[in-house]
Amino acid sequence: QKEVEQNSGPLSVPEGAIASLNCTYSDRGSQSFFWYRQYSGKSPELIMFIYSNGDKEDGRFTAQLNKASQYVSLLIRDSQPSDSATYLCAVNRYSTLTFGKGTMLLVSP
Amino acid sequence: GAVVSQHPSRVICKSGTSVKIECRSLDFQATTMFWYRQFPKQSLMLMATSNEGSKATYEQGVEKDKFLINHASLTLSTLTVTSAHPEDSSFYICSARDLNRNEQFFGPGTRLTVL
């Protein structure tokens, strides 16, 4: 059974803080993991992806993957009000993406 | 990043009519394109996978005769919602997979409202 779970939120953080977004998945055969950001009324935009266990950093974003625990997370450092959006976790297996319902992040000035 | 366009961005139609949505990869070739539907406050739900030159693969519960998909070239896929009804009102989003990269790039979406 394919399933990707995220806390719907909202997750509220003050500007400048670290936002931590979490995602768990049920399919152990999942091959790669993606984080997308979606603003209201817009389509998702790719933030980053990760294949291997450990951390991957890209600017203010860090993705963390633990395949044994079937857990992937996204850290956003120095959060900005413009980061306020819904963050979608997606899990890839054989080129098919399964999305979680997303976590809404609110960054207050 | 790669650019995917969708047309139209917004469409309002009467119940019973058909609506065609185009999805184009503008600066890369995509053998595979995906069609998603998203209802308010819900996640993206994959409707079908469109492969260039072959029949689309539909997800369980998606009526292939109602949602016609054509992927005639490496840069264009179309979704036609036939005999649309108000319950088909949704945000339809396509994505395209770059041949050379294992990433999907999303189009801007089409908001369909059926009256």
Side-chain angles (χ1 to χ4, degrees), chain A residues 32 34 36 38 41-46 49 51 88 92 95-97 99-102 104, chain B residues 34 36 38 41-44 46 49 59 91 93 97 102-109 111:
Chain A
S32 53
F34 296 75
Y36 288 87
Q38 187 176 25
K42 303 294 184 182
S43 69
E45 53 181 330
L46 180 66
F49 58 88
Y51 294 94
L88 301 172
N92 176 59
S95 300
T96 297
L97 286 180
F99 285 85
K101 290 187 176 182
M104 181 183 293
Chain B
F34 304 86
Y36 296 85
Q38 186 177 36
K41 300 189 186 301
Q42 299 294 314
S43 187
L44 279 74
L46 180 64
T49 301
E59 295 299 302
F91 193 40
I93 309 172
R97 187 159 64 95
N102 188 24
E103 298 170 40
Q104 287 187 31
F105 298 94
F106 284 86
R111 188 161 302 281

Side-chain angles (χ1 to χ4, degrees), chain A residues 18-96:
Chain A
I18 296 176
S20 177
L21 303 161
N22 304 315
C23 172
T24 59
Y25 60 95
S26 60
D27 186 353
R28 286 195 172 273
S30 300
Q31 298 159 321
S32 53
F33 308 85
F34 296 75
W35 282 100
Y36 288 87
R37 177 173 61 195
Q38 187 176 25
Y39 293 107
S40 181
K42 303 294 184 182
S43 69
E45 53 181 330
L46 180 66
I47 299 174
M48 64 189 304
F49 58 88
I50 187 167
Y51 294 94
S52 305
N53 279 327
D55 295 359
K56 179 181 179 182
E57 187 174 316
D58 184 359
R60 295 188 295 115
F61 300 97
T62 298
Q64 299 174 316
L65 174 62
N66 184 325
K67 289 187 178 181
S69 300
Q70 295 175 244
Y71 174 91
V72 59
S73 66
L74 179 70
L75 300 178
I76 306 175
R77 289 181 298 281
D78 188 24
S79 296
Q80 301 297 310
S82 58
D83 293 327
S84 298
T86 296
Y87 289 78
L88 301 172
C89 170
V91 172
N92 176 59
R93 186 175 188 190
Y94 300 129
S95 300
T96 297

Side-chain angles (χ1 to χ4, degrees), chain B:
Chain B
V3 180
V4 177
S5 70
Q6 266 184 257
H7 177 79
S9 58
R10 184 180 296 267
V11 58
I12 300 173
C13 68
K14 293 181 179 180
S15 184
T17 59
S18 294
V19 175
K20 179 186 282 189
I21 303 170
E22 291 186 349
C23 177
R24 293 181 186 273
S25 56
L26 298 185
D27 53 1
F28 67 98
Q29 292 184 326
T31 53
T32 305
M33 291 184 173
F34 304 86
W35 287 96
Y36 296 85
R37 180 169 52 184
Q38 186 177 36
F39 292 105
K41 300 189 186 301
Q42 299 294 314
S43 187
L44 279 74
M45 296 301 297
L46 180 64
M47 299 175 66
T49 301
S50 167
N51 295 296
E52 187 265 337
S54 64
K55 292 183 179 180
T57 302
Y58 290 81
E59 295 299 302
Q60 190 172 12
V62 178
E63 301 174 56
K64 62 180 181 181
D65 294 331
K66 181 171 180 63
F67 298 100
L68 301 179
I69 292 173
N70 184 287
H71 192 158
S73 76
L74 286 173
T75 59
L76 173 65
S77 177
T78 61
L79 168 68
T80 300
V81 183
T82 62
S83 186
H85 291 282
E87 57 266 30
D88 297 324
S89 299
S90 187
F91 193 40
Y92 291 85
I93 309 172
C94 74
S95 71
R97 187 159 64 95
D98 190 326
L99 279 176
N100 300 314
R101 293 186 278 185
N102 188 24
E103 298 170 40
Q104 287 187 31
F105 298 94
F106 284 86
T110 297
R111 188 161 302 281
L112 170 64
T113 303
V114 185
L115 302 176

